[in-house]
Amino acid sequence: MATNSGGIGRRLLGDARASRMFPVQAFHSMGEGLFAVSLVGSLFFNVSVDAARPRILLYLAITMAPFAVLAPLIGPVIDKFKGGHRAILILSIGGRAAMALLLATQLKTLLLYPQAFVMVVLAKVYGVARNALVPSLVDDRDHLVVVNSHLARVGAVAGVIAAVGGIGILELGGAGWVLRAGAVCYGLGAIAASRLPPHRAPDAITGSPVVEATEMHGPGVLAATKGMAGIRMATGFTVFHVGFTLKSAGEPSLLIGSVVGMTALGGFAGTFVAPRLRRRWDPQLMITASLLLVALVASVAALRFHASTALALGAALGLAGSVGRRAFDGVVQVEAPHTQRGQAFAGLETRLEVAWVIGALIAVIARAPDWLGLLLLTTGLGLLSADRLIGRWTASHLPLASTRVAVPLRLLETAEAVAAQGDRQQAVLVALAAADALATIEALPTDEIASLRRRAIEASASNNQEVEDQLIREVHELVIQAVK
Amino acid sequence: MRGVDTLVRTPSQDRSTARHWGLTVFMVLVTACSSQPKPETTDRDASAYAAVIDALLQGSPLDQEDPDRLPVIYVEAFAQEGISLTVQVQLVTAYADTYQLRFVDDRGEALLVDLEKQPVRSSSALIGLGPILGENELSIRGERYVDQDTIEAYRFSLADGGNQTWILTPTPIDPEGFARAP
C-alpha cells in the first residue's frame, strides 16, 4: 500500500518508471519550439503561397506514405523487441537532430520542403511511439491520465521556454543557429530516451489480442477516437488555413508565431482545466464540449477575422486538444482496462495523426477565403458534436446497469463466441478479463477473482475443457447478476 | 486466432494501409503532374527578373528604419500563372545579402490598406513583374508602386550581354499592372 509521501510523490511526479519520460518529453518539446521559431527565418515567408502550394501538397501527401508504413511497425517493435521502445524514440528524436543540422544550412533553398516534412513525419512517429509506450510504463493504470497530464505540462513549459530563447538566438545569429540549438536539444532527448526503463511485457490477459480487440473496438473507445480525430483534423486544418490567411493579409510572422504560442498556452491550461471538468462531467461529454468550444470560437473568427480572433482560435484549439486528450485517456482507461500492447495504442495514435494530415490537406487544397474556411470548420465540428450529443441522448435511455457493465458484457459475449469456435484457452482469458472489469465496478471480492485466475491457469496447464467451460459459466453468472 | 476476426469487427490493417497508399498515390500524381520549367529556363528567367528589379530600384534607395534589418521588397507577379517557385527561390537567394524579397499573392500584404492612397509598408518597396515575352530579345513589363497615385511603369527590352548579364532598354509606359484591381 502506498505511503502518504508516495501518494504525494505520485501526484507531483507520476509513477517512478513513467517519470523517466519527462526529460525525453522536455528536450523533444524544446527542439520543437526551436524548430518552429527557425521557420520564421525560412523560405516559407519569402515565396508566394500559390507558387508553393503544389509542393506543400506533395509533401503533405508524402508525409502520409512513410507514416502508413512506419506506424503499423511501431507497436510490434515496442511489444516484441527488448528495448524496442527505446530504439523507436531514439531513432525519431535522433533523426530530428540530424535533420535539424542539415536544415540549418538549407532554410532558404527548395530542400526546405522535403526536409521540413521529414521533420513532421519523425515528430509524428515520436508522438505515436510515446503514446503507445506510456501505458506500459505506468505502474497503476489509474495514474495514466495523471502521467499524461504531467507530460503535457512538461512539454508545454519546455517548448515555450525554448521558443523564447530561440527568438533571442534568431535576432543574434539567425535561423540556422536556432536549428543548431534545436539539434542539441533533440540530441539530449535521444540520450534521455536511452535511459528509459525496460518495457513491461503484457501478461496473458493484457497480451491477448482478442481482449484488446474487444475493448479497443467497443462503442465508447470508437466514439472517443472519432471525437479526438475531429479535434486533430481541426488542428491540422487551422494551422495551414490561418497561417496562409495571416500571411496573405501581410501580418508579421510574429503574429503567426504568437498564434502557435497561444495554442501551447491553451494546451498547458487544459492540463489544469481537465481534472476539474472531470469531477463534473464524464469524458465523452468533455470531448464533445472541446469540439463545441472550437466551433464557437471559429464561428466568431469567421464573422471577424482579426489578430485577436486568430489568437483566441489558437488558444481554443490548444485547450480543446489538451482537455480532449485527457478525456480520451480517461475513456481508454475505463473501457480498455486490459489493453497494454504498444500495437493497439500505436494503431489509435496513427489514426489521430492521419486525421491531422487530412485536415491540413483540406486547407491547402481548398485555399478558401478566411471566413469560408472558418465557416466550414464551424460546420464540421458542429455536425460532429450534434452526432455525439444525439448518441449520448440515445444511450441515456438505456437502463443504467447495462451501460455500467457494457465492457464486461461485451467481453463475456466475445468469450462465449470464441469458446463456441473451439478456442477455450483464449475464451478463458477473455472471460477473466470480463470478471476483472466487473470487479472494478461491482467491487467483487479480490479472492474470488484470484480463485478464478488460479483455476484458469490450472485448467490451461492440464487442458481441462470441462473446467474451462465451468469457469466461463461462472463468469457468465457473475456478469448476468450485475446486469439485473 | 481461428474465427476471431469474424466475431470481433476489427478494421483491417490492410484496408487502412491501402487507403493511405491510395490517397498518397493520388495526391502525388495530381501534384507531380503540374509541369515544371526546365533548369536553363529558370536560370534565364531569374537573371532577367533580377535585372529588372535592379533597374526599378536604382536611384530610389529605400529608407531603412532599422539598420539591423534588411529592407523588404514585395514582388507581385502580373501574369496569371505567376512566377514559378524555383525562380522565386533563386531570386530570394540572389538578394539575400541586400534585400528581403517577399513574393505576394495579394497586394494587401504589401500595402497599408487602411490609409489614404494605400502606401507601401514602411522600409519596403512593391515591385510588379509581368510575364517574360520573346526568345532572344526579352520583353518584360516592370512597375514600381509607391502609392495609388504614384506608380512608375516601364517596358524593359533585355538583350543578352553574355555571361547571364542583360543590356536593358527601359521605355516608360502607362501603368497597367498596379492600376488593375488585385
Side-chain angles (χ1 to χ4, degrees):
Chain A
M1 188 174 299
T3 62
N4 192 42
S5 61
I8 292 170
R10 272 195 180 157
R11 210 177 315 140
L12 288 175
L13 299 171
D15 293 38
R17 284 162 48 86
S19 63
R20 292 214 222 158
M21 268 300 295
F22 294 161
V24 180
Q25 179 68 14
F27 284 123
H28 185 267
S29 295
M30 288 172 75
E32 289 269 88
L34 290 165
F35 172 59
V37 168
S38 75
L39 292 179
V40 171
S42 75
L43 203 59
F44 283 131
F45 295 94
N46 294 101
V47 298
S48 74
V49 172
D50 282 349
R53 195 174 347 147
R55 213 159 283 238
I56 292 173
L57 268 177
L58 178 68
Y59 289 112
L60 264 177
I62 288 175
T63 296
M64 294 177 70
F67 200 60
V69 172
L70 285 174
L73 297 177
I74 293 172
V77 170
I78 290 176
D79 292 330
K80 290 182 181 149
F81 295 101
K82 191 180 172 189
H85 61 297
R86 282 193 288 257
I88 299 259
L89 287 175
I90 291 168
L91 280 172
S92 60
I93 305 175
R96 295 197 95 196
M99 286 307 306
L101 285 174
L102 199 60
L103 197 51
T105 57
Q106 292 170 348
L107 278 166
K108 296 280 192 184
T109 71
L110 283 173
L111 288 173
L112 165 72
Y113 292 96
Q115 289 174 8
F117 282 103
V118 168
M119 291 284 273
V120 169
V121 170
L122 289 172
K124 295 197 177 306
V125 169
Y126 168 81
V128 170
R130 181 200 60 206
N131 290 329
L133 177 64
V134 167
S136 70
L137 293 178
V138 176
D139 295 327
D140 184 344
R141 280 296 297 273
D142 288 341
H143 289 132
L144 182 62
V145 177
V146 171
V147 167
N148 278 329
S149 292
H150 285 309
L151 278 173
R153 280 177 208 151
V154 163
V157 170
V160 168
I161 290 172
V164 170
I167 291 170
I169 299 172
L170 185 70
E171 293 292 316
L172 292 171
W177 284 105
V178 178
L179 274 171
R180 290 180 186 102
V184 169
C185 293
Y186 286 131
L188 290 170
I191 292 171
S194 68
R195 294 179 180 172
L196 285 171
H199 171 63
R200 187 189 294 115
D203 61 25
I205 295 180
T206 56
S208 163
V210 180
V211 171
E212 174 188 294
T214 306
E215 291 183 344
M216 292 297 267
H217 295 98
V221 174
L222 289 177
T225 305
K226 196 171 158 187
M228 269 309 294
I231 295 173
R232 297 291 291 151
M233 198 179 294
T235 305
F237 177 87
T238 306
V239 162
F240 281 83
H241 179 71
V242 171
F244 287 162
T245 303
L246 290 175
K247 184 182 181 299
S248 296
E251 297 288 355
S253 49
L254 182 63
L255 176 59
I256 297 172
S258 298
V259 173
V260 174
M262 286 301 286
T263 307
L265 202 64
F268 183 69
T271 63
F272 296 99
V273 168
R276 283 157 179 79
L277 281 179
R278 185 68 186 92
R279 287 185 208 128
R280 296 170 185 272
W281 294 348
D282 66 77
Q284 298 285 3
L285 189 58
M286 286 168 66
I287 293 173
T288 307
S290 300
L291 290 163
L292 282 171
L293 172 68
V294 178
L296 180 66
V297 177
S299 65
V300 172
L303 289 171
R304 171 102 172 101
F305 190 71
H306 191 255
S308 56
T309 51
L311 290 170
L313 185 57
L317 267 172
L319 183 65
S322 183
V323 169
R325 182 75 222 193
R326 308 287 87 75
F328 180 76
D329 290 341
V331 170
V332 171
Q333 184 179 312
V334 169
E335 304 221 6
H338 300 97
T339 300
Q340 205 173 40
R341 293 198 313 162
Q343 192 163 2
F345 290 101
L348 257 184
E349 295 300 331
T350 302
R351 285 196 279 282
L352 296 180
E353 294 295 350
V354 168
W356 185 96
V357 174
I358 290 173
L361 276 171
I362 293 172
V364 176
I365 292 170
R367 193 73 174 94
D370 53 24
W371 64 270
L372 183 58
L374 293 169
L375 185 63
L376 285 172
L377 180 65
T378 303
T379 306
L381 292 177
L383 287 172
L384 183 56
S385 303
D387 179 56
R388 289 176 61 80
L389 288 170
I390 290 169
R392 183 183 177 81
W393 182 83
T394 307
S396 70
H397 286 75
L398 291 173
L400 180 63
S402 63
T403 55
R404 265 190 321 120
V405 298
V407 172
L409 195 58
R410 204 163 54 246
L411 285 165
L412 175 67
E413 286 171 352
T414 303
E416 290 173 344
V418 171
Q421 289 284 324
D423 191 342
R424 282 180 176 74
Q425 280 193 336
Q426 193 62 225
V428 165
L429 284 176
V430 182
L432 278 176
D436 208 32
L438 189 66
T440 61
I441 304 165
E442 295 291 306
L444 289 177
T446 51
D447 54 356
E448 190 164 350
I449 301 297
S451 168
L452 282 170
R453 278 180 179 263
R454 195 176 52 250
R455 285 156 55 204
I457 291 169
E458 286 167 4
S460 175
S462 60
N463 202 18
N464 192 328
Q465 287 186 8
E466 270 186 41
V467 175
E468 285 169 341
D469 287 341
Q470 174 62 25
L471 281 166
I472 295 170
R473 278 196 294 274
E474 284 181 32
V475 173
H476 179 102
E477 286 305 313
L478 286 171
V479 174
I480 295 304
Q481 280 298 315
V483 170
K484 286 180 184 169
Chain B
M1 195 64 51
R2 192 179 65 217
V4 168
D5 283 349
T6 62
L7 301 173
V8 178
R9 287 173 54 201
T10 314
S12 164
Q13 197 77 277
D14 291 339
R15 280 204 303 274
S16 178
T17 304
R19 272 200 296 271
H20 290 159
W21 278 110
L23 182 60
T24 302
V25 167
F26 171 72
M27 292 304 308
V28 169
L29 284 174
V30 165
T31 52
C33 278
S34 59
S35 59
Q36 299 290 328
K38 295 177 188 165
E40 56 271 20
T41 313
T42 58
D43 289 346
R44 183 205 70 172
D45 290 359
S47 64
Y49 278 134
V52 170
I53 291 172
D54 287 340
L56 287 167
L57 293 176
Q58 198 174 28
S60 303
L62 296 169
D63 293 326
Q64 231 174 304
E65 281 182 359
D66 185 348
D68 293 329
R69 290 184 189 279
L70 294 175
V72 176
I73 309 294
Y74 294 99
V75 181
E76 177 181 332
F78 293 143
Q80 185 83 0
E81 62 272 17
I83 297 173
S84 75
L85 182 66
T86 319
V87 171
Q88 290 188 23
V89 171
Q90 285 190 321
L91 287 169
V92 167
T93 309
Y95 285 98
D97 294 330
T98 46
Y99 301 119
Q100 266 199 70
L101 226 61
R102 288 193 194 164
F103 289 83
V104 299
D105 298 306
D106 189 321
R107 200 173 298 163
E109 281 183 61
L111 305 180
L112 295 167
V113 295
D114 295 329
L115 297 186
E116 195 187 344
K117 294 191 184 178
Q118 297 189 1
V120 186
R121 294 175 187 272
S122 57
S123 299
S124 307
L126 173 58
I127 302 283
L129 299 172
I132 297 176
L133 305 174
E135 285 294 326
N136 295 322
E137 185 159 308
L138 306 181
S139 173
I140 304 175
R141 166 185 283 276
E143 299 185 12
R144 179 172 174 172
Y145 176 106
V146 179
D147 56 47
Q148 280 180 327
D149 296 333
T150 313
I151 303 172
E152 301 166 20
Y154 302 92
R155 168 68 59 185
F156 291 92
S157 296
L158 291 85
D160 192 350
N163 204 24
Q164 288 205 338
T165 60
W166 301 94
I167 301 168
L168 268 71
T169 310
T171 307
I173 54 176
D174 291 332
E176 275 183 17
F178 284 126
R180 272 197 297 265

